[in-house]
Amino acid sequence: MRALVIGGGGREHALCWALSRSASVDAVLCAPGNPGIADIADVRDVDAEDPASVVALARDVDADLVVVGPEAPLVAGVVDALADAGITTFGPTRAAARLEGSKAFAKEVMAAAGVPTARHWHGSDPDAAIRALDDFAPPYVIKADGLAAGKGVRICADRAEAEGAIADALVDRVFGDAGDSLVIEEHLDGPECSLFGLSDGTTVRPLTPAQDFKRALDGDEGLNTGGMGAYSPVPAVDADVVEDLRVRVLQPVIDEMRRRGTPFVGVLYAGLALTSAGPRVIEFNARFGDPETQVVLPRLESDLGQVLTACAEGCLEEVGPLAFSDDACVTVVLASGGYPGPYEVGRPITGLDVAGAMDGTVVFHAGTARRDGQVVTAGGRVLAVSATGPGIALARARAYAAAGAIDFEGVHLRTDIAASPT
Ligand code: AMP
Ligand code: GLY
């Protein structure tokens, strides 16, 4: 088959890489792609957030399967348009992607499905929100309902800060429409874990769990980022825990979405807190995580093309459980100096070939571009350097050795990714 991936980041590079290793896939295409993806796929141009352009491209390249990576095209209705055009597509419709797009909607679905999550309040009146703080204890967790580019969550140490966060969103409207209403919720303690379930709308199959590192600096200091590294497996989330999470979290949400007439096809990404009282859902996303995909897919032994097609065609039940290598995988993100704040781009990158040839290593491109025959930086997160090996410690040593072979001016990385696995 011919598989077309929509997107151009590290996650999409990992998807293209895994599809290119699938026996069921003859050709991998990607739009808009990036220079790393161009080494393994036929890269095309597209406005990924314009449904008509994506449909036209899928027809033009004769795609048998379209895989939509990022959330923006999902929210723009790209999957709806592809489905209307009769094109086999892996990804949720706009209605199903609301699980990511509205935190209040996700809470409503979880309540209906009996899924364990933090107790919450939801509303849009500033005075009512301030009164609602009485029902919670510090630290207060205050979230904009809508998509706020990863900046919509505030963890407030005391009441004054919480009242300020409420005013920022509901009075000063710093998140725009995304902050029309707020969710205030109970603070959850414990390590976090990302679990992805692939679904055809009825059946859901978990992938192997991963843990990502969201803060910019070592020791979980600094600002929140898109993710500075990840590892898989997560020792505390063994096969029994994954099965428990399938039964208590993933399947009930899939069932509830189908019951509502908006079946969820695609990746149901559960962000979990492993609390002393058991796992609790922090949030859902409607797509693969980045950079977790860069540690999950290198461990996948099943044919990704076949599994994603089965999801798109509604016959996942016929595909057996997914198989993963016993090897661990660690990815280290190389970011531009200053990220997640302002940073420079256009810096030449050296050492990509040396790093890519090292044992068990794959260098996934995220924010790169080609200029005058050279690969240069073009984003905040530039590369995700992944390595597999027997055990997290060896995979980690390999990932850091490869990351150390790559250089560009201002490069920033965390040195403690997977240093003490959960
Ligand atoms: P979200 O955008 O919902 O993923 O939140 C971003 C980050 O905020 C999460 O990865 C957590 O680290 C933190 N967070 C969100 N909700 C909670 C909560 N209820 N308790 C503790 N931390 C939270
Ligand atoms: N790594 C977090 C995310 O993809 O949202």
Side-chain angles (χ1 to χ4, degrees), residues 89-388:
T89 305
F90 178 84
T93 59
R94 192 183 349 210
R98 250 187 110 204
L99 271 180
E100 171 161 2
S102 165
K103 294 190 192 293
F105 175 72
K107 285 289 193 187
E108 188 189 307
V109 170
M110 281 190 270
V115 169
T117 184
R119 186 170 58 79
H120 82 289
W121 174 92
H122 173 235
S124 55
D125 176 57
D127 296 326
I130 286 170
R131 282 197 303 277
L133 292 175
D134 293 344
D135 297 331
F136 296 89
Y140 299 98
V141 181
I142 302 190
K143 304 184 171 185
D145 175 54
L147 289 176
K151 300 197 169 98
V153 177
R154 295 266 302 265
I155 314 279
C156 305
D158 55 40
R159 187 156 178 130
E161 195 185 334
E163 292 188 5
I166 290 169
D168 285 348
L170 295 180
V171 182
D172 298 332
R173 300 188 56 81
V174 296
F175 303 118
D177 294 349
D180 274 348
S181 69
L182 292 181
V183 168
I184 300 176
E185 69 179 27
E186 179 191 3
H187 184 261
L188 299 171
D189 260 330
E192 290 179 32
C193 168
S194 305
L195 182 67
F196 308 152
L198 301 186
S199 184
D200 63 356
T202 304
T203 301
V204 59
R205 298 248 191 262
L207 299 183
T208 187
Q211 187 170 70
D212 93 338
F213 292 73
K214 290 208 168 79
R215 300 294 200 95
L217 306 176
D218 283 8
D220 290 331
E221 303 279 343
L223 296 172
N224 253 326
T225 70
M228 292 297 295
Y231 66 86
S232 175
V234 181
V237 187
D238 62 16
D240 291 342
V241 179
V242 170
E243 175 56 13
D244 185 53
L245 290 166
R246 184 187 68 79
V247 171
R248 291 173 57 210
V249 174
L250 300 176
Q251 189 68 56
V253 169
I254 294 299
D255 292 346
E256 176 62 17
M257 292 299 284
R258 196 178 64 251
R259 196 188 64 74
R260 288 171 181 243
T262 51
F264 187 97
V265 174
V267 186
L268 178 61
Y269 164 152
L272 301 158
L274 307 173
T275 76
S276 50
R280 299 278 182 276
V281 174
I282 295 180
E283 61 158 354
F284 285 119
N285 294 313
R287 52 175 176 78
F288 283 102
D290 188 338
E292 294 97 313
T293 305
Q294 292 92 307
V295 292
V296 168
L297 293 185
R299 298 187 54 228
L300 179 68
E301 288 177 339
S302 309
D303 181 315
L304 183 66
Q306 185 197 22
V307 175
L308 300 186
T309 303
C311 289
E313 292 181 339
C315 55
L316 185 58
E317 181 66 44
E318 290 161 27
V319 176
L322 305 174
F324 288 90
S325 154
D326 288 335
D327 275 1
C329 188
V330 173
T331 197
V332 176
V333 169
L334 303 188
S336 296
Y339 170 80
Y343 53 82
E344 307 272 326
V345 296
R347 302 282 162 83
I349 305 171
T350 59
L352 288 169
D353 290 341
V354 174
M358 291 168 83
D359 265 353
T361 302
V362 202
V363 181
F364 294 116
H365 289 224
T368 67
R370 196 171 275 284
R371 197 184 64 193
D372 304 331
Q374 206 174 22
V375 178
V376 300
T377 65
R381 291 190 294 172
V382 176
L383 301 163
V385 182
S386 294
T388 52

